[in-house]
Every structure is written in structure tokens, then in C-alpha cells.
């Protein structure tokens, strides 16, 4: 087999892998959105069969021989094909290092633990979830040792979500954030409070659905390739650049909740919808990492969506759909949408206090993986950190350690990418402003300019570059969290008139 024939084989293999992933993804999406409760059993069976077939396809003798051959001829491959081989090598090494029966047992554990977590959260009963969390931590540590014995286990966890991210980088990044956010938050708290009472004005759900459609139009999300579903906890799932699903949750007395979740998920969707055509059905299609993904969604949600210009742009539509809101000005609404206040729940936190919620989780995960804390002591540690970082008392585990689904699904190491993504976004804004007037583009409903810029710098590359490499190319230099702290400083000075 010559190199061209090997590449043809690789294309075939990746198309088959795509097909399995696509089918399983549709099943999961269906599960989250419209499937009846009783459909769990057959779906579980189908998922089991498909995931075994897909595992065998990716790690079988034929795929391994092909990978070896391509690695031998790496210097004859194009940049893109070399990257595909590199990604494949990393992934199969991980899959091969974990014995298949342990992998299956872990999938079952995750499945069960997600269900138990939901129940435990409802009852606010950490004890119920504790043994599962304990097993998940042990398994993660074991997998880290099997796959990367040369690496610190928590660094391995971080690397799963943001390739190249380490504790050393996190420590430095979080230290910079703390030094700026803590004093800024103190200044904000001593300023006169902002009125947010009108944000609970009843806004009928059918009208909020119309607002979602309008938001998708403003963001230039193509109707033929992106639809919106309704779920408990909003997420986005991208199958290919032709098929991306976003979701939201409507609350009649909190219209901003759904509005900003649509903008956030829309940011994820735009990224997945704009990979270069030549990456279709290959491992290079779609976003590279959680950090870069969050940089796009949080850029849209906060930097664009919570700007005065964007609030002004959507205001006429808001008062058309909910006339009572007309009693409040654009300026009042913009301030209310940017109130900063320590709170209990991460997903409802404002832009300024959000990174503090992430730091709590980072400290917890580090201690869990290092084995510095018993599972029984985790709620106490959580509550202590909330007091220390945010100055608030956690009343119960439902509003504390049980609030997020990540750990129950095995997602240890995921959280820091949210904070990193926010910081990436601020540096992208600074760079974008060198090329055009971003405020004016938003004010005049020309978000297409923002999209074109992001497509050119980030989206079109799919997974071609490692996250840090991609961001450095876009920034035209190294990542610097100062752009983020400056951005927060400027924004909150303006919002609160400090
Ligand atoms: Zn997100």
C-alpha cells in the first residue's frame, strides 16, 4: 500500500467512525430531548452494541496496521494528514492502555452515577452520591496511571479537556485573576446597587421561543443546519458542519436566562458549523478543545451579548414581545444584565464572580485526585472554599457540591477550561478591534463581521492545531490574561460608574 492508498483507507476509516459517532450522538440527543422515559432499555442496548463496534473498528488490527504505516511515512504526509495521524495515535494509545472490561465497567458506573446524582441533587443528599464519586475518582486516577504513567494524574485530567493545560499554568492564571477580581468585586459591592427587580417580569414562553428565533437570526445561525430543542440543562451537540443542535430552558419569570443560554449555545454552534469543507467527516472537523469552545460561546454570551450595543439591538424586539419591559430603558436593562454579586450557583453567576466558582472546583479536583481529602469531607471543603472565595454560606448540598453534573459523568478536569475560555475571549476582542469597530458592527446588526473574523482566525481550522497553538496564531503572540483582567476592570467600572 503506498501513501496515497493509506490516506484513502484513513478517509474510509474516519468516515465509518463518524457514522458510529453520529448515530450514537443522535440517540443521546433524542434521550435528552424527546424520547419517552421508558426508552432507556433499548437505547442502552443499541448504545452498547454501537460503542463496542466502534471501539473494535478504531483499535482493531487493521486500524493499527494503517496507523503504523502512516507514522512510518509521516514526513511524506501533508500538514493536515500528519495532524490526523497524531490525533489518532494519541486517542488509540489511550483506548488501548485501558483494558476493555475496565472501560465497559467504567461506562456502566458513569451511567448509574449520573442517575444517582440527579436523585441525590433533588433530595440534597450527598451521602447517596458519595460512593459513586469515590469510585469515579479512583477510576480516573487508575486510568491516568495506565495511559500516562509519566504524567501527574491531575495534569492528565486537565489535558483531556485542554491539551497542554497543566496545574502550573492554572495556578499562575488563577493567581492573576484573584489579584484583580477580589479588589474589583469589593469596589462593585460598595457601589449603589443596580435594580434588577424587573427582570422577573412575566414573559410568556411562546414569546420567548420567538425571541430565540430572532437571536439565532441576528447571530447568523443557518436555519437549515441548526435547530433549537428544550431541555433541563442547555447544551450544544455538533454532529457535522451541516447538523448542529442547540438547546435551551425557558422560565417565564426569568427571560434573560434563556436569552443568554441561546446566545451561549449559539456561540458553540457557530464554531462547529464553520470547519473548513475539506475536514468534513474526518477527525479534523469540529472544535479542538473545551477551552477554545468555551472561548467562542462565552465570547458571544458575555462580550457581545452583554454589551450595551447588543442590549440596544435586541431591546426593540424585547419590548415588542413583552411590552411591560418598555417601562425600563436600554441602559437600565444593560446594567441589570451585568449585575455582579457573589452567588451560590455557577451557571447563574455573573461574568465577574464566575471565575471564583471555577477556582473552587479546581481546588476541589486537585485535592480529590491527589487524595488529600476523604470523600466524606468534600462538602465541608466545598462550603469552606465558597466562604473563602465568595464570602457566602452554602445552605445545603443541592446548592453546593451537588449542583453540577460534571463529576457524576466523570468530567474531572473540565472546569478550568471555562475560565480559560473567558480569558481567551477577551484577548480575541482586543485583536478583533485592531481590524474593525466591533461596537459599531454590533450596534448596526452586522454580527456577520464578527463571525467572518472568528471564522478566519478560529473556526475554519477545526482541530488542525493544538489549542494553545491555534490561540497564539489568532492573538499574533502569546496568551496573556491581562487582556481579560483589563476587560473586566473596564466593563465593571462602566456598569457601576466606579
Ligand atoms: Zn458552553
Amino acid at each position: 500500500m503506498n501513501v496515497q492508498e493509506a490516506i484513502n483507507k484513513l478517509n474510509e476509516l474516519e468516515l465509518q467512525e463518524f457514522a458510529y459517532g453520529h448515530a450514537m450522538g443522535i440517540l443521546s440527543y433524542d434521550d435528552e430531548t424527546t424520547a419517552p422515559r421508558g426508552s432507556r432499555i433499548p437505547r442502552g442496548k443499541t448504545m452498547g452494541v454501537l460503542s463496542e463496534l466502534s471501539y473494535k473498528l478504531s483499535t482493531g488490527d487493521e486500524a493499527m496496521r494503517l496507523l503504523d504505516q502512516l507514522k512510518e511515512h509521516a514526513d511524506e504526509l501533508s500538514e493536515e494528514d500528519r495532524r490526523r495521524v497524531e490525533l489518532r495515535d494519541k486517542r488509540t494509545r489511550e483506548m488501548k492502555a485501558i483494558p476493555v472490561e475496565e472501560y465497559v465497567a467504567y461506562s456502566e458506573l458513569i451511567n448509574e452515577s449520573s442517575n444517582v446524582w440527579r436523585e441525590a441533587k433533588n433530595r440534597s443528599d450527598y451521602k447517596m452520591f458519595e460512593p459513586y464519586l469515590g469510585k469515579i475518582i479512583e477510576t480516573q486516577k487508575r486510568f491516568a496511571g495506565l495511559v500516562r504513567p509519566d504524567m501527574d494524574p491531575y495534569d492528565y485530567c486537565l489535558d483531556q479537556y485542554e491539551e497542554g493545560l497543566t496545574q502550573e499554568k492554572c495556578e499562575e492564571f488563577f493567581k492573576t485573576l484573584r489579584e484583580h477580581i477580589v479588589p474589583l468585586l469589593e469596589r462593585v459591592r460598595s457601589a449603589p446597587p443596580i435594580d434588577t427587580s424587573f427582570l422577573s417580569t412575566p414573559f410568556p414562553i411562546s414569546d420567548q421561543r420567538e425571541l430565540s428565533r430572532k437571536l439565532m437570526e441576528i447571530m447568523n445561525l443557518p436555519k437549515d443546519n441548526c435547530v433549537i430543542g428544550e431541555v433541563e440543562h442547555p447544551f450544544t451537540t455538533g454532529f457535522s458542519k451541516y447538523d448542529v443542535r442547540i438547546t435551551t430552558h425557558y422560565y417565564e419569570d426569568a427571560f434573560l436566562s434563556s436569552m443568554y443560554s441561546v446566545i451561549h449555545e449559539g456561540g458553540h454552534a457557530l464554531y462547529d458549523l464553520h470547519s473548513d469543507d475539506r475536514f468534513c467527516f474526518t477527525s479534523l472537523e469540529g472544535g479542538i478543545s473545551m477551552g477554545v469552545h468555551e472561548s467562542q460561546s462565552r465570547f458571544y454570551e458575555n462580550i457581545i451579548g452583554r454589551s450595551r450595543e447588543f442590549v440596544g439591538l435586541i431591546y426593540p424586539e424585547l419590548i415588542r414581545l413583552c411590552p411591560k419591559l418598555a417601562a425600563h430603558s436600554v441602559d437600565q436593562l444593560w446594567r441589570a444584565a451585568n449585575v455582579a454579586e457573589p452567588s451560590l450557583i455557577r451557571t447563574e453567576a455573573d461574568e465577574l464572580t464566575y471565575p471564583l466558582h471555577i477556582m473552587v472546583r479546581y481546588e476541589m479536583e486537585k485535592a480529590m485526585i491527589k487524595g488529600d481529602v476523604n470523600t466524606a469531607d468534600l462538602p465541608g471543603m466545598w462550603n469552606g472554599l465558597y466562604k473563602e472565595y465568595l464570602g457566602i454560606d452554602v445552605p445545603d448540598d443541592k446548592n453546593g457540591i451537588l449542583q453540577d453534573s460534571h463529576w457524576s459523568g466523570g468530567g474531572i478536569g473540565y472546569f478550568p477550561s471555562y475560565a480559560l475560555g473567558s480569558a481567551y475571549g477577551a484577548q480575541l476582542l482586543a485583536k478583533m478591534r485592531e481590524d474593525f469597530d466591533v461596537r459599531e458592527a454590533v450596534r448596526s446588526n452586522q454580527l456577520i463581521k464578527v463571525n467572518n473574523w472568528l471564522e478566519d482566525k478560529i473556526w475554519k481550522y477545526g482541530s488542525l492545531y493544538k489549542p494553545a497553538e491555534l490561540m497564539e496564531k489568532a492573538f499574533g503572540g502569546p496568551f496573556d490574561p491581562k487582556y481579560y483582567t483589563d476587560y473586566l476592570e473596564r466593563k465593571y467600572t462602566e456598569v457601576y460608574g466606579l
Side-chain angles (χ1 to χ4, degrees), residues 234-236 264-265 268 290 293-294 297-298 301 414 418:
F235 63 91
T236 293
H264 178 99
E265 302 306 334
H268 282 302
M290 286 329 300
H293 243 298
E294 285 302 321
S297 55
R298 297 184 63 76
E301 176 191 349
Y414 188 127
Y418 289 117

